[in-house]
Amino acid sequence: MPLPTCYCYLVASARKAQKRLRCFWSWKGTSWGASNFDQATISGKNAAFQQAVDALRKRFRFDFVSMGITAFPGAPLTWLYSAGETSNRHRRISLAPGHGIGGIVLKTGKPMLFTDIDSEMDPREYSSYPIVFAEDLRSFCALPLKRADHVVAVLLCAFRNVDSSHAETFRALISDELRGMFCGLEVVSEGFMGLGEAGDRSEATPVDISGDTSFAGVRDTDETGAPKLLRGDLARAIGAQEEERRRISRELHDGVAQELLTVAFTLQRLTDHVDAEGADILEEARGGINGVLDELHNISVMLRPSSLDHLGFVPALRSQALLLEKTYGSAIRFEGQLSLPRFNRALETQAYRICQEAMTNACKYSGSDVVTVSIETAGNWLHISIVDEGCGFDVAHPAIKGTGCGLLGMQERANQVGATLSVESNEHGTRVTLVTPMRSSEEGDAR
């Protein structure tokens, strides 16, 4: 079957764009004068903003108030000015446009209001809104803040409980206190939306493991204790998925991203040929392209980090940890080191996926401020543990979150490389431990 013309064009354009890639990074680092705020404000040192946030919390007795800002058009939103926070975890959250409450409000330009999150939001969706999880919010109002018709910040006012008086409090905040302005920025207070308007967020179909007492959630096992089903269908599915992840990641990087670079170069050439209004539009377009490129990079890393192929297990895991820290606000600490720089390719891949899933679960669901990843080698054995100090869960009967297949997939990946995976959890936190025989990459790398 011949490839579509558009695909061939993308490949050809990608090859041309790759030759210009080195030049682009110097272009991206150039100052275009398109910052939304001065450097002091971006660094969290605007005393007036902090005083305004403090005053709002005191005036309306909110449990939590925060002002998230963006450095330039298309940049992620960070919660820099806050009052009533339980920890600094939320300050580490970095939300791309369209992600999380701040990112959704930033992208759509519409305000949000929920007076009872537990009844108005699917609990499985909580982890998609990190600020709600980080600060245990139950009722909130999020308002876009504009300058020159562009959303540059978001104001979030929230309670940690549910009360019938909250709706009136939010009304008074908007009508009586803000009156269309906050910190010199225009407040958008019309066209309130629900989460369903933010994009396609179809609900995941839960997996029924309610009657099971085994770790993986599968009743039928073979003589070794490994699930029979997993030995066949799921094992093949995981292998095929890994290849598809690698292919899509490569296409995003070498295809779509390179095509965007070509568009960026074209915009750069227009700089000297437009008036002041045109220059502003170009700056906004550049910021948007930068944001898309960053998002493509994040997606590519989640699919298949190039560092796993080129640098190995630990660098790839550290790269993933940085992404999770920005997304969910938990600090991820690493302890120990490997005795070998590289080891068996199949083991690297499966160990990485298991640790990726464990770190993601800890950041999304545990509520822990710190996640610790310990890596040790002893003789020919690799020992990895991921520990959080969060709320814990019932290992025998885990609540369904996301697709509900996380523990199942982790166990099967461990089975594929002859590893032992264990999960211990109680009210003091969770420990995921992976122990596996280890071979260097020279000892028969299974690719």
Side-chain angles (χ1 to χ4, degrees):
M1 180 178 178
L3 292 172
T5 303
C6 61
Y7 180 87
C8 296
Y9 171 75
L10 275 174
V11 173
S13 299
R15 289 170 179 167
K16 294 178 182 179
Q18 282 175 321
K19 297 178 181 179
R20 311 174 198 172
L21 184 58
R22 186 173 299 174
C23 298
F24 169 73
W25 296 118
S26 60
W27 168 79
K28 188 176 180 182
T30 303
S31 174
W32 293 95
S35 296
N36 291 332
F37 300 95
D38 59 42
Q39 190 57 45
T41 300
I42 294 172
S43 301
K45 299 177 181 178
N46 188 317
F49 281 13
Q50 186 60 55
Q51 290 171 3
V53 166
D54 290 336
L56 272 188
R57 179 173 180 258
K58 183 177 180 180
R59 166 78 171 79
F60 291 93
R61 297 183 180 180
F62 290 121
D63 292 319
F64 179 71
V65 176
S66 189
M67 181 179 179
I69 69 171
T70 59
F72 53 84
L77 180 138
T78 52
W79 302 105
L80 287 182
Y81 299 94
S82 304
E85 63 269 33
T86 57
S87 70
N88 284 323
R89 179 181 178 186
H90 73 286
R91 298 183 192 275
R92 297 191 292 266
I93 295 172
S94 181
L95 299 170
H99 294 267
I101 290 170
I104 291 171
V105 172
L106 177 68
K107 182 176 182 178
T108 62
K110 295 181 178 181
M112 265 188 184
L113 191 150
F114 283 83
T115 55
D116 185 352
I117 289 176
D118 290 333
S119 65
E120 299 174 75
M121 185 188 298
D122 187 336
R124 291 174 294 180
E125 291 289 320
Y126 286 176
S127 60
S128 297
Y129 308 97
I131 193 68
V132 170
F133 206 74
E135 288 296 326
D136 193 27
L137 308 181
R138 289 294 176 267
S139 174
F140 72 84
C141 178
L143 302 168
L145 302 179
K146 283 187 173 183
R147 178 187 289 134
D149 294 326
H150 297 292
V151 180
V152 297
V154 174
L155 176 64
L156 177 69
C157 300
F159 294 98
R160 294 191 177 93
N161 67 329
V162 175
D163 192 278
S164 58
S165 66
H166 291 172
E168 175 58 26
T169 301
F170 292 136
R171 186 207 64 76
L173 166 72
I174 295 169
S175 302
D176 302 338
E177 179 73 15
L178 298 179
R179 298 182 181 181
M181 295 294 291
F182 181 73
C183 292
L185 302 172
E186 177 189 352
V187 177
V188 179
S189 57
E190 295 181 350
F192 279 84
M193 65 174 176
L195 294 175
E197 300 177 49
D200 183 12
R201 294 179 174 273
S202 58
E203 292 186 3
T205 302
V207 176
D208 183 11
I209 60 173
S210 57
D212 187 29
T213 58
S214 68
F215 163 73
V218 176
R219 296 176 177 80
D220 196 13
T221 61
D222 61 20
E223 64 276 9
T224 68
K228 290 181 179 178
L229 173 63
L230 298 183
R231 290 293 186 188
D233 297 340
L234 186 54
R236 286 191 293 272
I238 287 176
Q241 181 189 62
E242 203 61 48
E243 284 303 314
E244 188 67 1
R245 282 172 177 267
R246 184 183 289 108
R247 184 190 68 78
I248 296 174
S249 177
R250 185 168 54 247
E251 289 297 330
L252 286 175
H253 181 271
D254 296 340
V256 180
Q258 305 305 326
E259 192 68 14
L260 281 173
L261 294 180
T262 301
V263 175
F265 290 129
T266 302
L267 291 178
Q268 182 182 7
R269 293 169 58 191
L270 289 174
T271 304
D272 297 329
H273 304 283
V274 296
D275 56 16
E277 183 179 359
D280 290 340
I281 295 174
L282 283 179
E283 289 172 352
E284 182 178 351
R286 293 183 191 112
I289 290 175
N290 285 346
V292 173
L293 284 169
D294 288 341
E295 183 68 9
L296 281 176
H297 172 72
N298 290 344
I299 293 172
S300 182
V301 168
M302 290 295 289
L303 286 170
R304 177 75 185 188
S306 60
S307 55
L308 182 59
D309 293 320
H310 300 138
L311 300 177
F313 174 71
V314 174
L317 207 58
R318 287 183 178 276
S319 176
Q320 176 66 25
L322 289 175
L323 181 58
L324 291 173
E325 285 181 332
K326 289 182 179 180
T327 303
Y328 298 107
S330 298
I332 302 179
R333 299 173 179 170
F334 283 79
E335 298 177 348
Q337 58 185 0
L338 290 174
S339 58
L340 295 172
R342 299 299 301 265
F343 48 94
N344 178 274
R345 178 69 170 274
L347 177 55
E348 279 189 338
T349 297
Q350 303 304 359
Y352 172 81
R353 291 299 181 200
I354 291 169
C355 293
Q356 179 187 39
E357 180 73 17
M359 291 193 307
T360 301
N361 287 343
C363 291
K364 290 175 68 173
Y365 304 124
S366 74
S368 177
D369 285 335
V370 178
V371 177
T372 302
V373 180
S374 300
I375 302 172
E376 302 175 59
T377 53
N380 293 323
W381 291 88
L382 171 66
H383 182 284
I384 306 170
S385 64
I386 296 92
V387 180
D388 67 63
E389 300 174 356
C391 58
F393 67 98
D394 184 348
V395 176
H397 303 89
I400 299 300
K401 296 180 179 180
T403 64
C405 294
L407 295 180
L408 197 66
M410 290 165 66
Q411 183 63 66
E412 173 54 22
R413 290 183 183 278
N415 291 343
Q416 287 186 342
V417 291
T420 300
L421 181 70
S422 63
V423 178
E424 305 166 79
S425 188
N426 56 36
E427 66 274 14
H428 302 299
T430 300
R431 174 186 293 270
V432 177
T433 304
L434 178 70
V435 180
T436 177
M438 184 175 63
R439 294 181 299 167
S440 67
S441 58
E442 288 79 12
E443 295 181 55
D445 207 353
R447 294 172 186 267

